[in-house]
Amino acid sequence: MITYAQTDAIAQIVIDNPPVNALGVSLVGELLDAIARAEQDGKVSAILIRAAGRLFSAGADINEFKKPEDAPRLPTLIDRIESCSKPVIAVIHGQCLGGGLELALGCHYRIAARNANLALPEVQLGLLPGAGGTQRLPRLIGMNAAINMIATGTGVSAEKALSLGLVDRLADDDAVIVEALEFAGSLTGVRRTCDLPPPAIPSDLDAHLAPHLQSHFDSVQACAAAIHAAAELPFMEGMAREAALFEELLQSDQARALQHVFFAERKAAKIEGLPAKIERHSVERVGVIGAGTMGSGIAINFLLAGIPVTLVETNAAPLQRGADGIARILATSVSKGRLTEDQRAKATDLLNPSLAFDDLGQCDLIIEAVFEDMSVKLDIFRRLDALAKPNAILASNTSFLDINEMASATARPEAVVGLHFFSPANVMKLVEVIRGDQTSNEVLATCMKITQRIGKVPVLSGVCHGFIGNRMLLPRLEQAKQLLLEGAAITQIDEVSTRLGLPMGPLQMIDLAGVDIGWHRDVNRIENLNDALCARGRLGQKSSAGYYDYDDRRKPVPSTEVGSIVEQFRNDAAIERRTISDDEIIVRTVYVMINEAALILEEGIAQRPSDIDVVWMLGFGWPRWTGGPLWWASEVGVSSIVAGLERYRSSFGPDFRIASSLLKFEADSQSFYSRG
Ligand code: 3HC
């Protein structure tokens, strides 16, 4: 896992542990041996530590956190490097993360390739840098800069690292080893970060920390405590404080949940049973049909990934609106510093707005994003079948409709797939990849790859009404409206969800999506509460009124008008008003989703529980620190979930059934996940 070589008087220790040079226990042992060998070798005057492959190191091996503590450990290695009597130089390229950066901080000098990104992302795993990062980084770059990196996990570029004093030199990517050798040859002594004086406490420290401390992540508080220790305690005592805080976090529910999330997001793109070597289609040009908000958002993803897009509309005005919208979003990204002017210009050049459906004949992947009307979609798929390239992938962005029916409109059902983006499609990370009965493995594998290429996390779903995410949403929304009629206050219903950490409750979500989804505007039929609101012009946030009233800044305020609409509905339906407990709301708006998820798994719609967690975290804002709905349910305990569902069974209607897998989990004292 490491190689050892000598160039003149310079020893080169090369970490070679694909795919990400994770610093596991055995690698740490090898590095300890290599340092000892170089130190003892009288012909060696300096030591380079560098890495093979595309990056320096992703840090400690996250898989090993679950294992019992096993020497030798990373902090021991880093202390050993720092105490080495010969100069040790870290040669950093690509990602240098977590324990990888801490190892570099233990070296006496650091040289970075221009492509390097340096970060301490442990906080995102519910941890803190536990190999000296919280003690050495503030000594090197000062408290406030260290807080920015440690409490957020945000990385810095090589150039920024140089300006902060985090690295000593920069080199071009292909020259970094040569320059490091020259640099090493010029060094005469060591320079230890642990010997630097403790960082000064800046006068604005509290103000600087305050926004970070509002985080739901316990790890942020622990990071702040460890960084404080760097300023207040001698180095070794600070290290001991860091180690104690790290151990505490390691045992925490949040850390286990967040590490589950890390692996869940990576697993989601993997399709069970697919041959390892599968041929993927090449995607050189993408077609998007429909230049509305969704179509334009989808197009932006591909443009920014350098893939040309043909954006097709039937009329000039909506096409122009779509193109203008894309231009506006790209310009805003430049003004917010998320995009350079050059990137904006390149993305803009790749867009081909067109009124000619036939232009889609040049595309390798065509995504329709027109409104949810099966007859319109069937017509599009028939026309695509007639003109698309032989190997083209034909995709629908439908949220609910049957992909198999669309596939049946073509003579190539194996090429038809769902690609369900979430709104705003240029921002949200989730794409549900919908496998039709006949979708080919090659098409699925291509879709997984291309969605990853545009920065998304793809999750495979089978065909059903609403796929994974929206299918779980539907009973939640129905129950929320029912609870309102039975006597719960709007704010009470929503606050049960926001207290769990969801960004909004179910009624706020209806307002955001549009109360008028499914409203038969033409006949003005009032069949439910949503229809009644629509009839009064309360269409949701877009009309500044829905279940709530909204001010200019979209702040929701309870509405008296809605109160009287609900009252009337309640009277008409002869529903008796009663006091509703938060417990009932949580069962009927959250446990009911867990039940639906269990059914989704039983039916094979989702491949694995962790995919469902990913869908709800990335598509609906379920709080990451609870690990997703099914991880959370496992922590709550399936028996509690089942008992809750039993308690309110009569509220769910005659067709409701508790998933048999939940009942079996309960009987076997099991859960979606076993506690590892
Ligand atoms: N430990 C173990 N496995 C890791 C890992 C790590 N630190 N980092 C990545 N991997 C694995 C992934 O699970 C994945 O495995 P798979 O192929 O079986 O799914 C494989 O490496 C490739 O990872 P990605 O798919 O994420 O590859 P990318 O190229 O997209 O991204 C990366 C590479 C930017 C390095 C990204 O993997 C990453 O951010 N890794 C985690 C970095 C991190 O959080 N480091 C801190 C670790 S904790 C620590 O160091 C504690 C210390 O302070 C004591």
Side-chain angles (χ1 to χ4, degrees), residues 18-23 54-55 57-65 73-75 78 95-102 117 119-125 127-133 242 246 259 262-263 266-267 270 452:
V20 294
N21 291 326
L23 300 166
R54 65 194 164 101
L55 49 77
S57 171
D61 189 330
I62 300 167
N63 295 298
E64 292 187 355
F65 291 152
R73 296 182 58 235
L74 196 52
I78 295 170
Q95 299 289 346
C96 176
L97 308 178
L101 177 53
E102 291 174 292
N117 175 55
L120 292 171
E122 286 88 340
V123 72
Q124 302 294 345
L125 297 172
L127 300 172
L128 52 67
E242 177 193 271
F246 184 80
Q259 284 157 45
F262 177 84
F263 288 113
R266 280 151 182 86
K267 203 166 188 183
K270 298 187 172 106
Q452 284 184 299

Side-chain angles (χ1 to χ4, degrees), residues 2-14:
I2 68 155
T3 57
Y4 183 100
Q6 199 175 317
T7 311
D8 300 324
I10 314 296
Q12 290 198 52
I13 301 170
V14 184

Side-chain angles (χ1 to χ4, degrees), residues 274-348:
L274 222 62
K277 281 204 174 138
I278 189 151
E279 208 166 300
R280 294 186 178 82
H281 301 246
S282 97
V283 177
E284 307 290 335
R285 173 173 283 277
V286 169
V288 176
I289 306 172
T293 314
M294 208 61 200
S296 305
I298 293 171
I300 289 172
N301 294 305
F302 291 98
L303 297 171
L304 289 176
I307 302 170
V309 174
T310 300
L311 180 65
V312 171
E313 259 293 352
T314 40
N315 291 307
L319 185 63
Q320 190 58 49
R321 266 199 305 277
D324 290 348
I326 291 174
R328 211 169 30 248
I329 289 173
L330 293 177
T332 307
S333 297
V334 174
S335 66
K336 293 199 168 156
R338 290 194 219 111
L339 216 60
T340 64
E341 177 50 34
D342 188 41
Q343 286 167 323
R344 187 204 61 76
K346 279 193 180 129
T348 308

Side-chain angles (χ1 to χ4, degrees), residues 294 396-400 418-422 430-434 466-467 470:
M294 208 61 200
S396 170
N397 177 53
T398 182
S399 316
F400 287 97
L419 287 180
H420 179 214
F421 289 77
F422 285 68
L430 178 68
V431 178
E432 286 179 324
V433 176
I434 318 301
F467 314 123
N470 282 331

Side-chain angles (χ1 to χ4, degrees), residues 41-61:
D41 187 339
K43 294 194 280 302
V44 168
S45 65
I47 305 162
L48 297 189
I49 300 182
R50 62 181 181 86
R54 65 194 164 101
L55 49 77
F56 182 74
S57 171
D61 189 330

